[in-house]
Amino acid sequence: YIKCYENNSSYIMFAIVDKISNEVIGSISYNLNRRHDYASIGYLLCKKMQNKGIMTEAINVFTNYLFNELKCNRIEAEVIKDNIPSIKLLEKCGFKEEGLIRSKYYINNKYNDVYVYGKIRDEKNI
């Protein structure tokens, strides 16, 4: 994570650490486009820690940081079409579905469609 920060100021990745065990349980990252004032986010959480509200909290803190500190106008995320839990997570955090990109990622021996979700600064409290 430190190398990521040192080597590329537009792409930043943070570790998500369990408050009790102090072990890394996931990550959340952004790729910042300063010219157009938007960030693309990505996130990952180990299976045993899912469905506990951890990523909801992380995304909400993260989007507030991107809007308020980095002055982003837009935040976007891509999610594999079949990843229903991640889709529900983004919607719970106020992201709106904006479209479908067909056959974007080759995962598990097949091409996967992805939805693009976005959140705009003026909509952040909606």
Side-chain angles (χ1 to χ4, degrees):
Y1 300 111
I2 293 169
K3 283 183 183 179
C4 179
Y5 179 76
E6 291 172 346
N7 294 332
N8 187 344
S9 62
S10 67
Y11 177 75
I12 306 294
M13 181 183 293
F14 295 92
I16 298 174
V17 178
D18 184 276
K19 293 176 184 177
I20 297 169
S21 70
N22 207 32
E23 75 177 319
V24 175
I25 57 171
S27 65
I28 189 164
S29 62
Y30 68 84
N31 194 359
L32 186 63
N33 184 317
R34 292 239 182 243
R35 181 174 183 207
H36 299 291
D37 295 328
Y38 79 87
S40 300
I41 65 168
Y43 48 88
L44 180 66
L45 191 63
C46 72
K47 198 147 193 92
K48 70 179 182 178
M49 301 305 284
Q50 293 176 4
N51 298 311
K52 297 183 180 197
I54 295 167
M55 194 53 74
T56 302
E57 179 183 356
I59 289 175
N60 286 332
V61 167
F62 212 54
T63 55
N64 284 334
Y65 170 75
L66 291 169
F67 283 133
N68 298 323
E69 301 300 321
L70 297 185
K71 306 302 183 201
C72 289
N73 182 59
R74 170 186 171 75
I75 302 169
E76 62 186 27
E78 293 179 350
V79 59
I80 300 291
K81 183 179 176 181
D82 298 332
N83 190 346
I84 304 305
S86 191
I87 289 169
K88 288 181 179 179
L89 171 66
L90 288 171
E91 290 173 349
K92 182 178 182 180
C93 293
F95 285 75
K96 295 180 181 173
E97 181 188 329
E98 297 180 335
L100 178 72
I101 303 171
R102 298 177 300 138
S103 294
K104 184 164 184 183
Y105 296 118
Y106 190 75
I107 302 170
N108 296 327
N109 297 315
K110 69 175 187 169
Y111 289 98
N112 291 268
D113 297 344
V114 296
Y115 287 114
V116 176
Y117 275 78
K119 191 171 185 178
I120 307 299
R121 179 198 314 258
D122 294 342
E123 300 171 337
K124 69 181 183 177
N125 294 319
I126 293 174

